[in-house]
mmCIF file of all heavy atoms in Angstrom:
data_model
loop_
_atom_site.group_PDB
_atom_site.id
_atom_site.type_symbol
_atom_site.label_atom_id
_atom_site.label_comp_id
_atom_site.label_asym_id
_atom_site.label_seq_id
_atom_site.Cartn_x
_atom_site.Cartn_y
_atom_site.Cartn_z
ATOM 1 N N THR A 772 10.436 12.524 -8.984
ATOM 2 C CA THR A 772 10.222 13.057 -10.325
ATOM 3 C C THR A 772 9.947 14.547 -10.261
ATOM 4 O O THR A 772 9.123 15.004 -9.465
ATOM 5 C CB THR A 772 9.044 12.353 -11.004
ATOM 6 O OG1 THR A 772 9.293 10.949 -11.016
ATOM 7 C CG2 THR A 772 8.868 12.850 -12.427
ATOM 8 N N ASP A 773 10.658 15.323 -11.076
ATOM 9 C CA ASP A 773 10.437 16.764 -11.104
ATOM 10 C C ASP A 773 9.029 17.068 -11.591
ATOM 11 O O ASP A 773 8.528 16.459 -12.525
ATOM 12 C CB ASP A 773 11.451 17.449 -12.027
ATOM 13 C CG ASP A 773 12.854 17.432 -11.460
ATOM 14 O OD1 ASP A 773 12.989 17.348 -10.221
ATOM 15 O OD2 ASP A 773 13.799 17.494 -12.248
ATOM 16 N N ASP A 774 8.388 18.068 -10.969
ATOM 17 C CA ASP A 774 7.101 18.530 -11.453
ATOM 18 C C ASP A 774 7.247 19.967 -11.943
ATOM 19 O O ASP A 774 8.322 20.552 -11.885
ATOM 20 C CB ASP A 774 6.026 18.415 -10.366
ATOM 21 C CG ASP A 774 6.406 19.182 -9.113
ATOM 22 O OD1 ASP A 774 6.734 20.374 -9.241
ATOM 23 O OD2 ASP A 774 6.375 18.600 -8.021
ATOM 24 N N CYS A 775 6.202 20.515 -12.434
ATOM 25 C CA CYS A 775 6.236 21.862 -13.012
ATOM 26 C C CYS A 775 5.423 22.824 -12.169
ATOM 27 O O CYS A 775 4.602 23.599 -12.690
ATOM 28 C CB CYS A 775 5.726 21.835 -14.453
ATOM 29 S SG CYS A 775 6.772 20.870 -15.570
ATOM 30 N N ASN A 776 5.610 22.770 -10.867
ATOM 31 C CA ASN A 776 4.853 23.606 -9.958
ATOM 32 C C ASN A 776 5.774 24.206 -8.906
ATOM 33 O O ASN A 776 6.791 23.619 -8.538
ATOM 34 C CB ASN A 776 3.746 22.801 -9.266
ATOM 35 C CG ASN A 776 2.669 22.370 -10.231
ATOM 36 O OD1 ASN A 776 1.712 23.090 -10.466
ATOM 37 N ND2 ASN A 776 2.820 21.184 -10.798
ATOM 38 N N TYR A 777 5.379 25.354 -8.428
ATOM 39 C CA TYR A 777 6.084 25.967 -7.319
ATOM 40 C C TYR A 777 5.699 25.293 -6.007
ATOM 41 O O TYR A 777 4.561 24.816 -5.846
ATOM 42 C CB TYR A 777 5.740 27.457 -7.214
ATOM 43 C CG TYR A 777 6.469 28.338 -8.194
ATOM 44 C CD1 TYR A 777 5.847 28.759 -9.374
ATOM 45 C CD2 TYR A 777 7.762 28.761 -7.934
ATOM 46 C CE1 TYR A 777 6.507 29.584 -10.267
ATOM 47 C CE2 TYR A 777 8.441 29.587 -8.821
ATOM 48 C CZ TYR A 777 7.809 29.987 -9.988
ATOM 49 O OH TYR A 777 8.473 30.795 -10.875
ATOM 50 N N THR A 778 6.633 25.286 -5.087
ATOM 51 C CA THR A 778 6.374 24.808 -3.734
ATOM 52 C C THR A 778 6.781 25.900 -2.754
ATOM 53 O O THR A 778 7.884 26.457 -2.862
ATOM 54 C CB THR A 778 7.162 23.528 -3.429
ATOM 55 O OG1 THR A 778 6.740 22.501 -4.318
ATOM 56 C CG2 THR A 778 6.928 23.065 -1.994
ATOM 57 N N ALA A 779 5.902 26.210 -1.816
ATOM 58 C CA ALA A 779 6.226 27.178 -0.772
ATOM 59 C C ALA A 779 7.083 26.501 0.290
ATOM 60 O O ALA A 779 6.821 25.369 0.681
ATOM 61 C CB ALA A 779 4.950 27.734 -0.158
ATOM 62 N N TYR A 780 8.110 27.198 0.752
ATOM 63 C CA TYR A 780 8.940 26.674 1.837
ATOM 64 C C TYR A 780 9.237 27.790 2.820
ATOM 65 O O TYR A 780 9.033 28.976 2.527
ATOM 66 C CB TYR A 780 10.234 26.051 1.305
ATOM 67 C CG TYR A 780 11.219 27.012 0.668
ATOM 68 C CD1 TYR A 780 12.315 27.506 1.375
ATOM 69 C CD2 TYR A 780 11.068 27.414 -0.658
ATOM 70 C CE1 TYR A 780 13.220 28.384 0.786
ATOM 71 C CE2 TYR A 780 11.964 28.282 -1.254
ATOM 72 C CZ TYR A 780 13.036 28.773 -0.529
ATOM 73 O OH TYR A 780 13.933 29.638 -1.110
ATOM 74 N N GLY A 781 9.708 27.423 4.011
ATOM 75 C CA GLY A 781 9.940 28.430 5.042
ATOM 76 C C GLY A 781 8.657 29.109 5.477
ATOM 77 O O GLY A 781 8.654 30.278 5.873
ATOM 78 N N VAL A 782 7.550 28.367 5.445
ATOM 79 C CA VAL A 782 6.244 28.917 5.814
ATOM 80 C C VAL A 782 6.037 28.761 7.315
ATOM 81 O O VAL A 782 6.395 27.747 7.914
ATOM 82 C CB VAL A 782 5.122 28.207 5.035
ATOM 83 C CG1 VAL A 782 3.760 28.708 5.486
ATOM 84 C CG2 VAL A 782 5.305 28.407 3.540
ATOM 85 N N GLY A 783 5.435 29.782 7.943
ATOM 86 C CA GLY A 783 5.116 29.694 9.360
ATOM 87 C C GLY A 783 6.303 29.884 10.276
ATOM 88 O O GLY A 783 6.238 29.501 11.450
ATOM 89 N N LEU A 784 7.393 30.504 9.794
ATOM 90 C CA LEU A 784 8.560 30.699 10.647
ATOM 91 C C LEU A 784 8.291 31.700 11.756
ATOM 92 O O LEU A 784 8.923 31.665 12.817
ATOM 93 C CB LEU A 784 9.759 31.170 9.804
ATOM 94 C CG LEU A 784 10.352 30.149 8.837
ATOM 95 C CD1 LEU A 784 11.431 30.807 7.981
ATOM 96 C CD2 LEU A 784 10.925 28.968 9.590
ATOM 97 N N GLY A 785 7.376 32.645 11.521
ATOM 98 C CA GLY A 785 7.106 33.655 12.529
ATOM 99 C C GLY A 785 8.202 34.711 12.564
ATOM 100 O O GLY A 785 9.066 34.788 11.694
ATOM 101 N N GLY A 786 8.188 35.534 13.604
ATOM 102 C CA GLY A 786 9.183 36.590 13.719
ATOM 103 C C GLY A 786 9.053 37.561 12.563
ATOM 104 O O GLY A 786 7.955 37.984 12.184
ATOM 105 N N ALA A 787 10.193 37.919 11.963
ATOM 106 C CA ALA A 787 10.185 38.863 10.856
ATOM 107 C C ALA A 787 9.719 38.247 9.550
ATOM 108 O O ALA A 787 9.508 38.969 8.577
ATOM 109 C CB ALA A 787 11.581 39.473 10.680
ATOM 110 N N ASN A 788 9.566 36.932 9.507
ATOM 111 C CA ASN A 788 9.058 36.278 8.282
ATOM 112 C C ASN A 788 7.539 36.257 8.310
ATOM 113 O O ASN A 788 6.906 35.221 8.530
ATOM 114 C CB ASN A 788 9.617 34.861 8.154
ATOM 115 C CG ASN A 788 11.093 34.849 7.834
ATOM 116 O OD1 ASN A 788 11.925 34.922 8.734
ATOM 117 N ND2 ASN A 788 11.429 34.755 6.552
ATOM 118 N N SER A 789 6.939 37.429 8.111
ATOM 119 C CA SER A 789 5.494 37.577 8.246
ATOM 120 C C SER A 789 4.773 37.829 6.927
ATOM 121 O O SER A 789 3.547 37.744 6.862
ATOM 122 C CB SER A 789 5.187 38.731 9.208
ATOM 123 O OG SER A 789 5.805 39.935 8.755
ATOM 124 N N VAL A 790 5.520 38.160 5.868
ATOM 125 C CA VAL A 790 4.917 38.413 4.564
ATOM 126 C C VAL A 790 4.623 37.081 3.874
ATOM 127 O O VAL A 790 5.362 36.105 4.047
ATOM 128 C CB VAL A 790 5.871 39.262 3.696
ATOM 129 C CG1 VAL A 790 5.249 39.568 2.333
ATOM 130 C CG2 VAL A 790 6.227 40.563 4.413
ATOM 131 N N ILE A 791 3.548 37.038 3.107
ATOM 132 C CA ILE A 791 3.180 35.814 2.388
ATOM 133 C C ILE A 791 3.474 35.996 0.902
ATOM 134 O O ILE A 791 3.028 36.967 0.277
ATOM 135 C CB ILE A 791 1.696 35.475 2.597
ATOM 136 C CG1 ILE A 791 1.448 35.138 4.077
ATOM 137 C CG2 ILE A 791 1.278 34.297 1.704
ATOM 138 C CD1 ILE A 791 -0.004 34.897 4.415
ATOM 139 N N LEU A 792 4.247 35.083 0.334
ATOM 140 C CA LEU A 792 4.559 35.045 -1.089
ATOM 141 C C LEU A 792 3.913 33.792 -1.667
ATOM 142 O O LEU A 792 4.216 32.675 -1.224
ATOM 143 C CB LEU A 792 6.068 35.033 -1.310
ATOM 144 C CG LEU A 792 6.559 34.976 -2.767
ATOM 145 C CD1 LEU A 792 6.088 36.204 -3.546
ATOM 146 C CD2 LEU A 792 8.077 34.875 -2.807
ATOM 147 N N ASP A 793 3.040 33.965 -2.646
ATOM 148 C CA ASP A 793 2.245 32.853 -3.154
ATOM 149 C C ASP A 793 2.160 32.930 -4.670
ATOM 150 O O ASP A 793 2.458 33.968 -5.284
ATOM 151 C CB ASP A 793 0.843 32.917 -2.533
ATOM 152 C CG ASP A 793 0.072 31.612 -2.643
ATOM 153 O OD1 ASP A 793 0.672 30.600 -3.069
ATOM 154 O OD2 ASP A 793 -1.123 31.594 -2.315
ATOM 155 N N THR A 794 1.759 31.839 -5.299
ATOM 156 C CA THR A 794 1.515 31.820 -6.744
ATOM 157 C C THR A 794 0.632 30.637 -7.095
ATOM 158 O O THR A 794 0.682 29.596 -6.431
ATOM 159 C CB THR A 794 2.829 31.733 -7.541
ATOM 160 O OG1 THR A 794 2.536 31.806 -8.942
ATOM 161 C CG2 THR A 794 3.568 30.434 -7.274
ATOM 162 N N ALA A 795 -0.151 30.813 -8.129
ATOM 163 C CA ALA A 795 -0.910 29.706 -8.711
ATOM 164 C C ALA A 795 -0.299 29.265 -10.026
ATOM 165 O O ALA A 795 -0.821 28.375 -10.695
ATOM 166 C CB ALA A 795 -2.361 30.128 -8.928
ATOM 167 N N SER A 796 0.826 29.885 -10.411
ATOM 168 C CA SER A 796 1.452 29.602 -11.699
ATOM 169 C C SER A 796 2.214 28.280 -11.666
ATOM 170 O O SER A 796 2.678 27.836 -10.616
ATOM 171 C CB SER A 796 2.414 30.724 -12.078
ATOM 172 O OG SER A 796 1.743 31.954 -12.218
ATOM 173 N N SER A 797 2.385 27.699 -12.843
ATOM 174 C CA SER A 797 3.294 26.582 -13.018
ATOM 175 C C SER A 797 4.679 27.139 -13.317
ATOM 176 O O SER A 797 4.873 28.361 -13.417
ATOM 177 C CB SER A 797 2.835 25.683 -14.162
ATOM 178 O OG SER A 797 2.975 26.366 -15.403
ATOM 179 N N THR A 798 5.658 26.278 -13.490
ATOM 180 C CA THR A 798 7.018 26.718 -13.777
ATOM 181 C C THR A 798 7.405 26.484 -15.248
ATOM 182 O O THR A 798 8.580 26.387 -15.573
ATOM 183 C CB THR A 798 8.030 26.005 -12.861
ATOM 184 O OG1 THR A 798 7.965 24.583 -13.095
ATOM 185 C CG2 THR A 798 7.750 26.292 -11.405
ATOM 186 N N HIS A 799 6.437 26.393 -16.145
ATOM 187 C CA HIS A 799 6.727 26.175 -17.555
ATOM 188 C C HIS A 799 7.462 27.383 -18.146
ATOM 189 O O HIS A 799 7.197 28.536 -17.781
ATOM 190 C CB HIS A 799 5.438 25.943 -18.339
ATOM 191 C CG HIS A 799 4.773 24.643 -18.011
ATOM 192 N ND1 HIS A 799 5.268 23.430 -18.436
ATOM 193 C CD2 HIS A 799 3.656 24.360 -17.302
ATOM 194 C CE1 HIS A 799 4.485 22.455 -18.005
ATOM 195 N NE2 HIS A 799 3.491 22.995 -17.306
ATOM 196 N N LYS A 800 8.375 27.118 -19.064
ATOM 197 C CA LYS A 800 9.054 28.187 -19.784
ATOM 198 C C LYS A 800 8.086 28.838 -20.758
ATOM 199 O O LYS A 800 7.045 28.272 -21.124
ATOM 200 C CB LYS A 800 10.274 27.645 -20.527
ATOM 201 C CG LYS A 800 9.974 26.720 -21.703
ATOM 202 C CD LYS A 800 11.254 26.250 -22.365
ATOM 203 C CE LYS A 800 10.985 25.269 -23.514
ATOM 204 N NZ LYS A 800 10.303 25.874 -24.661
ATOM 205 N N GLY A 801 8.429 30.050 -21.186
ATOM 206 C CA GLY A 801 7.612 30.744 -22.180
ATOM 207 C C GLY A 801 6.278 31.219 -21.650
ATOM 208 O O GLY A 801 5.354 31.455 -22.440
#
Side-chain angles (χ1 to χ4, degrees):
T772 304
D773 290 335
D774 57 52
C775 296
N776 292 272
Y777 281 99
T778 298
Y780 67 99
V782 176
L784 291 174
N788 290 86
S789 56
V790 181
I791 295 175
L792 179 61
D793 198 8
T794 184
S796 298
S797 68
T798 61
H799 291 287
K800 69 180 178 67

